[in-house]
Amino acid sequence: MTGVIVTTINLTAIYALVALGISLTWAGLGFLNMSAGVMYAGAAYGAWLVSTEISTNVVVVLLGGILTGIVFGALVCLTVFLPLDGKPNWEIRTITATLALSFVGVNIYQWKFGPQFKQFEPLFSWLPQFRLGDALVKSTVTGTVIATAVVVTIVLIYIGSSRIGLGVRALTQSAEGAALVGINRRTAAFAILGVSGAFVGLAAVLLGQTFFVEPNSGYVPLIKGLIVALLGGLGSLRGAVIAAFMVALCEALTLQYFGGAWVLITLFLLISIVLIIRPRGVAGVLETTRA
Amino acid sequence: MPKRSADLVHYAVLAVVFLIALAVPFVFGTLSILGSMTVFLLLLSWSISWRQGDKVSSDGKPDRSSWLFWAMAGVIAIVIPIIAGTPFLLATMVAFFIYLTWNTMWGLVLGTAGLQSFATVAVAGIAGYAAAYMTIDIANSNAAAAGAECSGNRLLGLPVVDWWLAIPIAAVVGLVVGFLISLPAIRLRGIYFALLTIGLVELCRAYTGQDKCNLGGAQGLFGASSFIPSEMMGSATGYRYAYAAAVLLAIVTLLIYWKVNYGRLGLLLRTARESEPVAEVLGVDVVRARMWVFLISSSMLGVAGGFYVSYYKSISPNFFNFSTVLLLFAMVVIGGLNSPRGILIGTMLLMFVDRRFVDVSPPEARFIFIGLLLLVVTLLASGGLVSVPDQLRHRLMSKGKRGSGPSAGLPEEVGAIAQEANMPPGSRPGTG
C-alpha cells in the first residue's frame, strides 16, 4: 500500500506540472495548448542534448530542459497566439494551429533524432534511498518532489511579486479588466507561455528519468495533462493539483491491482464520472463567475 | 464592360483552367489529376463566392450558384476513371471517397452543430471492427494460434455473415455508439467534450490492441468479406467496380449533409451553436437537435467504416492512431468546415499531398509540409481556404471606408455583434 502512495506522490508532481502549464494558458489567454506534448518532447530532447554534450550535472540538465521549454513556449506564442489574437473563429483556429504545430514538431523530431529511444543518465543517484513502511523510496522520487517544489515555488513567487506576474494574475481574473487598467496582453502572453513551457520542460526531464525519450513521447503527457487540467477545472491552479492527485492515485491503484494495460481504461472511467457529476471539473468555478 | 460579356470572359477563363487541369495527368502522371482538379475546384469556388458578394452568407441557405460547382464535381468524378483510370489512381480515389464520407459527417458535427467532437475516428473504427468481426471467424482461427487463452467461442454465438449484412450492422453499431457519445454532449461543453472524445479514440486503440482473442490484438482483423466479387479481385474491372461503389457512398453522404445542413435541423443546430440561451428562448430543443445530428452522422460514419473494412478486408489498432485523427481533422478544417465545398476541397488537397509525396525522402518531410500548410492556412484564412474571397472583400470594404469601423456600411447593432464575435471566448460575456 505504501508503494501506491509513493507512486502517487511521484506522478502527482509530474502531472501537476504539465496540467498547471495548460491550465494557466487557458486561464490567461483563453486557448487550449494542444502543442504541450511537442513542447514536452522538445524540452526532453533539449535536456538530453545538454546532458550528452555539455554536462550531466543535475542543475545544468534541469535548467537545459526548463530553458528549452521556455523557448518552445515563446515559439507557440509567436506562431499561434500573436497571429490569432482577436481574430474570428478563435476557438477552433487555436486548436487547429496548436495541433498543426504538434504535427510538424513530432515529425521534425522523427527526422532529426530518429525513432530510437534516448535515455537520460540518472540525475538523482546522489540522493539517498530510504524505506517507507514496506516500500523503497527511490532517489528519483525524492529528486522529483524536491525539484518540483523548488521550481513551482520560484514561479509562484515570480508571479506573486513581479510586475509582469501582476499582469498575468489580472489577465486570469478578467480579460476586459486587465485591458482597462492598461495591461499589455502580448507581454503577459510571453510570460504565461514561458512559465507553462518551464513547467512542461521540468516535467519532461523528471519523467525522462523513468521513461525513454522518443519523438512521440509527448503524446501521453499531453493527454494526461489535458485530463488533469480539465478534471481540475480549466483555469484553477488549486483544482489542477487536486486533479493531479486523483489521476495519479487512480493510475497507481490500477498499476498495482490490474496492470499497466488497464490504466487508460480506468482513467477514462474516472474522467467520465467526474465530468458527468461536475461538468466544469473539480474546482471549475471560473467560467461561471466570469459569465 | 457590360455584364454579359464579363460573364462570358469569366466562364471562358474557367473553361480554359478546366482543360489545362484535364491535360495535366497526360504530362505529370495519373495521380496529378487529383491535384489539378483540386486547384480547378478551388478557383471555381472562389469565383462563385467572389461574384456572389454579400448576397449570401458563408453558411446559411444553400447558395443557388453553387450548382455549377457540384455539377463540375460530378463531371470530374465521371471523367477521372475515363482519362486516368489506372488501378493505382482508382484505389486512391476509393480511399478519397471514404475519407470524404467521414469528413463530411464530421463537418456536420464540428461545423454545423459547433460541437468539438473528435470521436469520428472512434465511431468509424468501432463500426469497422464490428463489420470485420461479423465476417471473420476469428475465434476459430485464433483459438489454434493463441492456445488455451482463447475459448474459441464467438461473442454471444454470433453467426459469420457476408459483407452485405455486415455493412448495415456497422451502421447500427455506429448509431448505438453515436447515441452513447451524444449523452455526455448534453452536459459537457466545448473543450471538455473534445477531451472526452480524444480520450475515447485513445481508449479504442488501447483496447483493440489488448483483445487478442476477439479482435486480433495488435495485428487486428484481416480477411473480411469484400464487396468486390472474387473473380474481379485485383483486376481493372474490380477497381472500377469499387470506384463506382465509393462514388455512390459519397453521393449518399453529400445528400444527407445537404438535407441536414440546409434543412430545419441545420437551422436549429446553428441557432444553438451561436447562442444556446437564444435557442432555448426560441423554443429550440437543443438536446434533441444535437442528439439527432449525432445519430445521423454516426450511422453514416458506421456505414463508411463497414465499407472501409469491406474494401481493405482488414482493420487494425493503428486505425485509432492520433495521426489518423490529425490527418482527418486537417482535411476538414483546411478547406473550411462550414461548407461542403470546403470539406471536399480540403480532403482532395490533403489526399493529393499525402499520396503524391509518399516516397519523398525523408518520409517525415511530407507530414511536416502538411502540418505547415495547415498552420499557414489556419493563421491567414479565418474560415479555411474557401472563405478567402469573403475575407478579402471584408478587408477591402473596411479599407475603403476607414473611420467607420471594421464593419462599415452595416447597421450599428450588427457592427457591435461582429466586434463581439472577434473577441476571444474567455472575454465574451454570457457564453460559457
Side-chain angles (χ1 to χ4, degrees):
Chain A
M1 196 59 213
T2 41
V4 172
I5 296 172
V6 173
T7 317
T8 306
I9 291 172
N10 189 23
L11 291 175
T12 304
I14 291 166
Y15 292 160
L17 281 175
V18 181
L20 280 175
I22 292 174
S23 211
L24 194 63
T25 312
W26 173 267
L29 305 176
F31 77 95
L32 200 63
N33 186 5
M34 299 294 275
S35 51
V38 110
M39 286 163 67
Y40 174 97
Y45 276 118
W48 176 78
L49 280 178
V50 166
S51 74
T52 49
E53 304 287 330
I54 301 173
S55 157
T56 51
N57 180 297
V58 56
V59 177
V60 176
V61 176
L62 283 178
L63 272 182
I66 291 173
L67 287 178
T68 331
I70 293 176
V71 169
F72 273 89
L75 212 63
V76 171
C77 189
L78 279 175
T79 51
V80 177
F81 178 76
L82 294 186
L84 288 181
D85 188 23
K87 297 283 164 61
N89 296 338
W90 157 268
E91 204 162 324
I92 194 82
R93 281 167 87 188
T94 45
I95 290 189
T96 312
T98 47
L99 277 177
L101 214 56
S102 68
F103 199 51
V104 172
V106 166
N107 284 293
I108 288 180
Y109 301 150
Q110 188 97 26
W111 174 32
K112 286 288 168 202
F113 297 102
Q116 301 90 353
F117 292 153
K118 310 274 189 237
Q119 200 179 4
F120 280 101
E121 295 290 315
L123 287 177
F124 300 109
S125 49
W126 47 274
L127 281 169
Q129 305 199 358
F130 57 92
R131 298 197 75 82
L132 193 78
D134 54 350
L136 179 71
V137 181
K138 287 190 189 148
S139 48
T140 313
V141 176
T142 325
T144 300
V145 172
I146 294 173
T148 309
V150 169
V151 171
V152 171
T153 313
I154 292 175
V155 168
L156 286 184
I157 290 173
Y158 169 71
I159 291 186
S161 62
S162 73
R163 204 168 163 74
I164 292 178
L166 192 67
V168 170
R169 277 183 295 145
L171 215 50
T172 56
Q173 299 288 317
S174 156
E176 291 99 336
L180 284 175
V181 294
I183 282 158
N184 188 341
R185 206 169 139 79
R186 306 198 157 192
T187 323
F190 273 106
I192 287 172
L193 282 163
V195 164
S196 113
F199 281 155
V200 170
L202 177 66
V205 185
L206 295 178
L207 211 57
Q209 294 295 305
T210 329
F211 295 102
F212 299 113
V213 180
E214 48 107 14
N216 285 303
S217 58
Y219 179 57
V220 171
L222 166 71
I223 293 292
K224 299 230 170 110
L226 282 173
I227 288 175
V228 170
L230 291 166
L231 212 52
L234 276 170
S236 161
L237 301 189
R238 195 173 43 116
V241 177
I242 298 172
F245 178 76
M246 282 168 63
V247 168
L249 184 65
C250 172
E251 195 170 325
L253 284 173
T254 314
L255 274 175
Q256 178 83 17
Y257 297 108
F258 297 99
W262 289 89
V263 166
L264 269 171
I265 295 167
T266 51
L267 260 185
F268 190 71
L269 287 177
L270 176 76
I271 56 168
S272 305
I273 293 166
V274 173
L275 285 185
I276 284 169
I277 299 169
R278 290 188 69 96
R280 295 264 183 261
V282 179
V285 287
L286 188 91
E287 285 177 54
T288 43
T289 49
R290 255 191 193 178
Chain B
M1 204 171 352
K3 196 169 177 296
R4 285 299 275 281
S5 59
D7 271 1
L8 223 58
V9 171
H10 179 83
Y11 287 123
V13 170
L14 281 174
V16 170
V17 173
F18 183 61
L19 289 178
I20 294 173
L22 277 181
V24 163
F26 295 103
V27 185
F28 297 102
T30 50
L31 185 59
S32 60
I33 195 168
L34 198 54
S36 66
M37 287 306 166
T38 311
V39 174
F40 167 71
L41 284 178
L42 185 59
L43 288 176
L44 182 60
S45 171
W46 279 351
S47 89
I48 289 172
S49 352
W50 182 257
R51 287 151 58 79
Q52 229 165 20
D54 268 335
K55 276 179 284 180
V56 179
S57 64
S58 58
D59 66 67
K61 288 186 212 154
D63 22 272
R64 281 196 189 82
S65 46
S66 72
W67 68 268
L68 181 64
F69 180 88
W70 293 105
M72 286 318 291
V75 168
I76 292 168
I78 295 167
V79 158
I80 281 181
I82 298 173
I83 67 167
T86 57
F88 169 68
L89 187 78
L90 290 182
T92 308
M93 290 307 292
V94 173
F96 163 75
F97 285 120
I98 296 176
Y99 281 4
L100 182 65
T101 301
W102 287 333
N103 292 344
T104 324
M105 288 300 114
W106 197 357
L108 219 45
V109 175
L110 208 57
T112 312
L115 296 169
Q116 293 173 9
S117 163
F118 283 81
T120 306
V121 175
V123 176
I126 292 172
Y129 258 102
Y133 186 79
M134 287 311 290
T135 62
I136 302 168
D137 194 6
I138 175 113
N140 279 332
S141 56
N142 250 15
E149 269 180 61
C150 301
S151 61
N153 293 327
R154 285 175 70 78
L155 288 172
L156 308 170
L158 288 167
V160 176
V161 299
D162 267 341
W163 66 269
W164 52 268
L165 203 54
I167 291 181
I169 290 173
V172 173
V173 170
L175 188 79
V176 172
V177 177
F179 174 71
L180 293 178
I181 293 171
S182 73
L183 292 179
I186 296 164
R187 274 182 75 91
L188 298 180
R189 293 285 167 272
I191 306 292
Y192 291 85
F193 190 60
L195 171 91
L196 197 74
T197 48
I198 290 178
L200 183 67
V201 178
E202 187 57 23
L203 184 70
C204 288
R205 192 173 68 92
Y207 179 74
T208 51
Q210 292 299 319
D211 191 344
K212 279 202 190 66
C213 293
N214 292 313
L215 302 178
Q219 275 111 42
L221 297 170
F222 41 87
S225 147
S226 172
F227 64 84
I228 306 173
S230 52
E231 65 272 15
M232 285 190 200
M233 199 68 78
S235 70
T237 332
Y239 279 109
R240 257 177 247 138
Y241 185 76
Y243 181 86
V247 170
L248 191 67
L249 178 75
I251 291 175
V252 171
T253 312
L254 284 171
L255 289 178
I256 291 176
Y257 182 94
W258 214 263
K259 182 82 187 127
V260 173
N261 189 45
Y262 298 128
R264 190 178 158 73
L265 184 57
L267 196 63
L268 300 184
L269 288 169
R270 274 193 295 274
T271 316
R273 178 187 74 189
E274 293 310 321
S275 167
E276 227 169 290
V278 168
E280 271 164 12
V281 166
L282 290 174
V284 175
D285 192 341
V286 176
V287 170
R288 206 179 132 95
R290 288 188 174 157
M291 202 166 262
W292 267 112
V293 76
F294 268 110
L295 292 182
I296 293 169
S297 68
S298 300
S299 45
M300 204 55 210
L301 288 172
V303 170
F307 188 90
Y308 171 95
V309 163
S310 175
Y311 174 67
Y312 287 105
K313 295 194 282 183
S314 69
I315 188 165
S316 78
N318 287 339
F319 188 86
F320 299 107
N321 271 355
F322 196 56
S323 56
T324 318
V325 181
L326 271 182
L327 186 66
L328 289 184
F329 183 72
M331 285 174 168
V332 176
V333 294
I334 203 166
L337 83 170
N338 276 325
S339 83
R341 276 192 231 157
I343 294 171
L344 175 75
I345 289 172
T347 310
M348 268 177 104
L349 176 67
L350 289 192
M351 195 74 198
F352 171 68
V353 172
D354 190 54
R355 295 296 152 105
R356 171 66 186 77
F357 301 108
V358 79
D359 45 6
V360 164
S361 166
E364 293 81 22
R366 173 170 56 122
F367 299 119
I368 296 174
F369 178 67
I370 290 179
L372 288 177
L373 196 65
L374 181 61
L375 185 65
V376 169
V377 171
T378 311
L379 294 187
L380 296 181
S382 59
L385 284 172
V386 291
S387 77
V388 169
D390 292 327
Q391 213 180 336
L392 265 178
R393 193 175 39 245
H394 277 278
R395 181 155 301 182
L396 290 178
M397 254 171 60
S398 61
K399 258 197 192 130
K401 300 174 185 169
R402 196 164 276 288
S404 43
S407 42
L410 292 173
E412 211 166 279
E413 305 93 298
V414 181
I417 294 166
Q419 268 178 358
E420 196 183 289
N422 283 345
M423 283 182 188
S427 59
R428 208 186 302 168
T431 53

